[in-house]
Amino acid sequence: MIRKYTYGSPFQTDAVVQQKKTEHDTLPYFEEIKEDGQLTLKYQLDQEDAVYGLGENVRGINKRGWIYESRCMDDPVHVETSHSLYASHNFFVVSGRQSFGVFVDYAGIISFDMGYTHLDELVMKPQEADLDIYIIEGDSILDIVRQFRQLVGQSYIPPKWAFGYQQCRWSYMDEDEIRAVVKNHRENQIPLDSVYLDIDYMERYKDFSINEETFPDFEGFVQEMKEQHVRLVPIIDAGVKIEEGYETYEEGVKNHYFCKNADGTDFVAGVWPGRVHFPDVLNPKARDWFGKSYKFLLDKGIEGFWNDMNEPALFYSEEHLQQVFEKLGEFQGRNLDLDTYNQFLGMIHGLPNNREDYKLFFHNINGKMVRHDKVHNLFGYNMTRAAGEAFEELEPDKRILMFSRSSYVGMHRYGGIWMGDNKAWWGHLLMSIKMQPSLNMMGILYTGADIGGFGDDTTEDLMMRWLQFAVFNPLMRNHAAMGTRDQEVYRFDHTEDFRKIIQMRYALVPYIYSEYMKAVLKSDMYFKPLSFVYPEDSHASQVEDQLMVGESLMCAPIYTQNATGRYVYLPEEMLMLRVRGPEDYTCERMCSGHHYVDAKLSEMLLFLRPGHLLVLVQPADSVEQLDTTKVKVIGFKGQRASYELYDDDGFSRNYDLDQNVTKITVEEDGSVTVAGAAKLCVETELAE
Ligand code: GLC
């Protein structure tokens, strides 16, 4: 059951797709305090209560014990004590004495104190008291999540090739560098489905332009790569360069499609190209225009994009920068003591992403000027929505890969996300594991972190362990920042081990794709915490470093340097696969409980649940080349088990669940039946 409560006059975010009527009674569960215009909502937490959700954020799967702030932030050095990351995902479930879900539909800045100030108090404080709150009750956590997901609509579906392995770097500078990357993967038989184009493919960082010196025949090159089953995926940045004669800029200025200053002039900020304007993607006309601009690249054969810097990130606002320049002179010749030195540094460090600068510009929403900070968290969402809405018109019969850095609930209908600029830190690998189920709760299913870490130099073992977890991530992309160590997997000593782990991903693609699609079509989660699946098991709720992956599997990644194994908790008897590659694994039946299991650097662990099946295919160089008609099914000997395998053409928008499912059943005596959409040749491997 979902009930909606309204405070003041909220801005319509378009997060929900089911319209609910506002209730007249008071908000349940929470104590409401109004003081000096500040609304505070408090819930008394029981010692046993867990709080799940909040999507893209630091810390645990259970969010208790920290204060989070929904404020989309460009923070490439985020740590455990950060309060905000790139997104605003205001949905959580309290589970314990009383269980209920809360979705705060609010475009402005809001804090969620989950037992930080007082261990047993959950406190929400919005910047202004204009918001909708949805209270969701259900039979279980998963039921609450499912209802929320239906409220906010169906998740985005990428093309199937986007479930392959993807390689990125800031930046591959020209055609030849990309050719070499592809050649090295192919020669080493490391599967690969796409290579990313970071900001340097553009002419001086101008959206919807190509650097013709480094990419002299862009269209031809896109085609050449496709012939090798490799898609190129260009980046699109939020800021549009200010440059006379540049079409996107000229059109935006002429039609008033850019965000404005209070005096009606176009707001100027600094990002990669220097001075830019921000497209006013909250204005429906401007959104339509910006989205249609992607046509420039679609027409050149491009089938996927990533939207960046759309918090929106700003290096500086022109106004603030001028103030700093004026003040800097005052420091010249002075003895900079502690205070003055800090003031001096603070002026420079205060330039990027300054809270005050977000109050300087305005959106034109149906004729009304709305100050940006009041709707700040909707920018990335609407930039991606711009593209998603345009793709539906421009490419009605084709799925386009799209994912964004910044997001708000609702954006999951138009694209996925990556987890922003992480570091080559073991702690960030663990964080990416914990973040996955929280993101899935929001409906964001197509997601993954930059494998190996984006900032700082990675190590071979970190890369290996990260890949072993990323095998299960729908978005599996290796990405690194400028100036860091080369981290394409063929750069390391043990290329063969990397090849086999990536091949394992390809062997799993039919299962991963099937589970992804079922999660989308049934408003389910692809990654689940153990506690969601085994609610009665008090140990399961303590496990934050193992995840259920779809209906059959559990993964237990290793995220500690030099570890040659780990503790694993099995809520029930399971089959453990210790995997080096698709043809190179051991199977062992293990009883429920705590175990220490060995896993050498080249080995990953995965666990199959009883009564379930694991479906594998032969790996190939790319997703398109997989032969999905011949499958190997792994299960328990002497147990009846079945699996519903979803498959479709992978690019059209026809996702009928009934038409696209094939049911594979293994009987107690080991005989197999196949019924439904596909004709499959099934080989079984049943463990004693
Ligand atoms: C931002 C992105 C990163 C990208 C870089 C250059 O930091 O998050 O992925 O490589 O910009 O475009």
Side-chain angles (χ1 to χ4, degrees):
M1 192 182 57
I2 306 183
R3 280 172 293 163
K4 175 182 173 186
Y5 300 85
T6 301
Y7 289 86
S9 19
F11 182 84
Q12 291 314 302
T13 65
D14 295 344
V16 305
V17 295
Q18 285 176 0
Q19 297 314 320
K20 303 270 174 204
K21 278 211 189 85
T22 294
E23 304 278 333
H24 292 297
D25 49 351
T26 53
L27 184 74
Y29 300 109
F30 289 85
E31 181 194 349
E32 186 182 300
I33 304 156
K34 280 185 187 148
E35 246 172 35
D36 304 329
Q38 171 67 59
L39 173 68
T40 304
L41 297 165
K42 268 193 197 171
Y43 177 72
Q44 197 65 31
L45 287 165
D46 197 54
Q47 208 178 348
E48 306 295 315
D49 285 348
V51 183
Y52 298 109
L54 294 187
E56 187 174 359
N57 257 304
V58 298
R59 303 223 167 198
I61 293 179
N62 181 349
K63 304 276 11 131
R64 275 190 81 161
W66 190 239
I67 180 165
Y68 307 88
E69 188 182 48
S70 257
R71 182 166 77 98
C72 297
M73 253 298 272
D74 167 25
D75 183 0
V77 277
H78 50 268
V79 289
E80 200 175 310
T81 44
S82 299
H83 298 287
S84 315
L85 296 179
Y86 301 83
S88 163
H89 297 149
N90 303 340
F91 169 60
F92 60 89
V93 176
V94 175
S95 163
R97 182 169 49 92
Q98 310 183 89
S99 297
F100 56 94
V102 181
F103 171 45
V104 184
D105 192 7
Y106 179 56
I109 318 300
I110 174 167
S111 66
F112 296 95
D113 182 336
M114 299 299 194
Y116 162 76
T117 309
H118 300 289
L119 270 179
D120 55 358
E121 261 179 25
L122 185 165
V123 183
M124 309 193 283
K125 276 191 191 179
Q127 186 177 259
E128 278 162 313
D130 293 306
L131 62 162
D132 285 320
I133 300 184
Y134 296 82
I135 299 288
I136 310 173
E137 286 159 350
D139 299 336
S140 62
I141 308 178
L142 276 174
D143 181 39
I144 293 171
V145 172
R146 217 168 282 132
Q147 291 183 55
F148 168 70
R149 294 273 301 283
Q150 283 159 0
L151 176 71
V152 297
Q154 185 176 297
S155 302
Y156 162 77
I157 298 174
K160 205 199 280 182
W161 59 262
F163 289 81
Y165 179 60
Q166 317 195 46
Q167 182 60 50
C168 188
R169 184 166 182 88
W170 174 20
S171 289
Y172 295 127
M173 297 303 286
D174 56 30
E175 290 184 355
D176 281 343
E177 205 177 340
I178 294 172
R179 280 192 187 100
V181 170
V182 173
K183 187 162 168 266
N184 278 310
H185 280 86
R186 290 287 179 251
E187 279 181 1
N188 286 294
Q189 282 123 44
I190 301 162
L192 179 73
D193 265 86
S194 70
V195 175
Y196 281 69
L197 301 175
D198 208 320
I199 46 176
D200 295 285
Y201 81 89
M202 297 182 252
E203 189 208 335
R204 280 168 290 135
Y205 311 129
K206 286 177 344 203
D207 280 340
F208 317 116
S209 78
I210 306 285
N211 181 337
E212 285 174 3
E213 273 170 36
T214 47
F215 293 88
D217 173 20
F218 188 76
E219 232 174 301
F221 185 57
V222 171
Q223 207 41 47
E224 178 190 321
M225 289 293 112
K226 258 192 225 178
E227 277 154 23
Q228 299 183 53
H229 306 281
V230 171
R231 258 86 177 180
L232 296 178
V233 183
I235 196 169
I236 304 291
D237 278 286
V240 170
K241 186 174 198 296
I242 299 177
E243 185 183 286
E244 304 249 316
Y246 161 39
E247 208 180 313
T248 310
Y249 162 76
E250 299 275 0
E251 277 176 14
V253 170
K254 188 176 90 205
N255 297 305
H256 300 283
Y257 287 157
F258 293 127
C259 293
K260 300 280 187 195
N261 293 306
D263 66 4
T265 56
D266 291 326
F267 171 72
V268 180
V271 204
W272 309 117
R275 293 193 186 92
V276 300
H277 293 319
F278 289 130
D280 185 0
V281 284
L282 274 76
N283 165 347
K285 279 197 187 132
R287 186 163 67 237
D288 182 65
W289 161 74
F290 194 74
K292 298 273 168 58
S293 309
Y294 287 69
K295 190 171 186 302
F296 171 79
L297 288 154
L298 291 173
D299 286 349
K300 298 189 168 6
I302 291 296
E303 296 173 47
F305 302 88
W306 47 314
N307 278 349
D308 194 20
M309 304 297 271
N310 50 4
E311 292 69 31
L314 37 91
F315 296 171
Y316 53 82
S317 73
E318 184 66 19
E319 195 176 319
H320 191 168
L321 184 69
Q322 291 316 320
Q323 288 164 6
V324 169
F325 280 139
E326 278 160 29
K327 280 215 179 129
L328 271 179
E330 295 172 14
F331 289 83
Q332 210 168 6
R334 280 171 69 183
N335 173 30
L336 296 188
D337 63 5
L338 179 64
D339 288 346
T340 43
Y341 176 67
N342 279 340
Q343 273 172 27
F344 176 76
L345 280 189
M347 281 189 341
I348 308 291
H349 290 159
L351 277 174
N353 307 320
N354 190 298
R355 282 179 193 243
E356 294 306 309
D357 288 337
Y358 291 106
K359 295 182 182 162
L360 296 177
F361 59 102
F362 293 79
H363 298 273
N364 176 353
I365 300 166
N366 304 321
K368 200 171 153 222
M369 298 312 277
V370 179
R371 205 172 76 187
H372 174 80
D373 63 315
K374 297 180 190 292
V375 289
H376 173 71
N377 290 330
L378 299 181
F379 193 92
Y381 163 22
N382 281 285
M383 178 183 173
T384 297
R385 178 182 178 187
E389 286 174 344
F391 297 159
E392 279 165 27
E393 266 185 63
L394 299 169
E395 298 279 5
D397 300 323
K398 193 167 155 191
R399 303 177 211 171
I400 302 295
L401 172 62
M402 163 52 69
F403 59 95
S404 172
R405 193 168 74 174
S406 186
S407 59
Y408 181 82
V409 170
M411 201 207 79
H412 69 286
R413 302 193 294 269
Y414 303 98
I417 64 151
W418 85 102
M419 297 173 186
D421 293 346
N422 59 7
K423 294 273 193 187
W425 297 344
W426 292 86
H428 275 184
L429 164 56
L430 178 59
M431 191 174 78
S432 81
I433 298 168
K434 294 184 183 194
M435 217 191 275
Q436 281 287 13
S438 310
L439 287 168
N440 276 205
M441 286 174 73
M442 306 304 126
I444 299 171
L445 301 182
Y446 190 75
T447 173
D450 289 345
I451 301 168
F454 171 75
D456 293 345
D457 292 331
T458 201
T459 58
E460 179 162 354
D461 54 352
L462 177 58
M463 185 47 110
M464 182 52 113
R465 292 304 193 193
W466 208 315
L467 266 179
Q468 291 170 353
F469 170 60
V471 157
F472 302 104
N473 288 209
L475 166 60
M476 188 189 190
R477 183 180 76 150
N478 177 341
H479 182 32
M482 184 162 276
T484 60
R485 176 183 189 178
D486 290 329
Q487 63 181 43
E488 295 80 13
V489 294
Y490 54 78
R491 307 274 187 176
F492 301 106
D493 291 340
H494 298 87
T495 308
E496 193 191 341
D497 293 342
F498 285 108
R499 172 198 313 135
K500 286 166 86 170
I501 291 298
I502 298 173
Q503 283 179 338
M504 186 63 196
R505 159 62 169 230
Y506 280 70
L508 278 162
V509 160
Y511 174 78
I512 292 171
Y513 185 67
S514 168
E515 289 305 307
Y516 183 93
M517 293 301 292
K518 286 192 283 184
V520 171
L521 299 170
K522 296 180 178 176
S523 303
D524 199 354
M525 295 165 66
Y526 167 88
F527 277 119
K528 296 184 187 89
L530 271 56
S531 56
F532 287 23
V533 179
Y534 304 94
E536 306 301 330
D537 181 334
S538 59
H539 288 292
S541 66
Q542 301 298 306
V543 179
E544 293 231 342
D545 58 357
Q546 300 169 208
L547 298 174
M548 306 309 294
V549 188
E551 64 164 63
S552 303
L553 299 182
M554 179 180 82
C555 70
I558 290 177
Y559 51 86
T560 314
Q561 189 156 33
N562 302 318
T564 54
R566 57 161 290 169
Y567 285 96
V568 177
Y569 176 68
L570 304 191
E572 58 184 330
E573 183 198 18
M574 288 187 178
L575 193 66
M576 179 177 80
L577 277 81
R578 188 182 281 110
V579 180
R580 277 173 62 93
E583 299 294 334
D584 190 357
Y585 57 86
T586 57
C587 270
E588 194 182 322
R589 221 161 146 154
M590 286 171 71
C591 60
S592 63
H594 296 276
H595 299 266
Y596 185 85
V597 270
D598 296 321
K600 293 195 195 91
L601 183 56
S602 56
E603 294 171 338
M604 55 183 270
L605 300 169
L606 74 99
F607 297 83
L608 175 65
R609 300 175 67 192
H612 291 81
L613 297 172
L614 171 59
V615 175
L616 294 171
V617 292
Q618 278 292 319
D621 277 350
S622 69
V623 169
E624 282 172 338
Q625 290 164 288
L626 288 172
D627 178 357
T628 51
T629 61
K630 291 195 191 74
V631 302
K632 175 151 96 184
V633 165
I634 300 181
F636 288 69
K637 200 166 197 162
Q639 265 186 21
R640 184 175 199 271
S642 62
Y643 181 70
E644 292 194 340
L645 181 71
Y646 175 98
D647 198 14
D648 59 20
D649 62 21
F651 58 84
S652 75
R653 294 178 190 250
N654 170 21
Y655 320 115
D656 192 291
L657 198 53
D658 297 328
Q659 278 176 26
N660 294 330
V661 164
T662 308
K663 187 166 182 180
I664 306 171
T665 309
V666 179
E667 302 294 343
E668 274 170 37
D669 65 2
S671 61
V672 181
T673 50
V674 178
K679 287 208 169 50
L680 298 179
C681 176
V682 182
E683 176 200 330
T684 55
E685 185 179 321
L686 304 174
E688 293 282 347

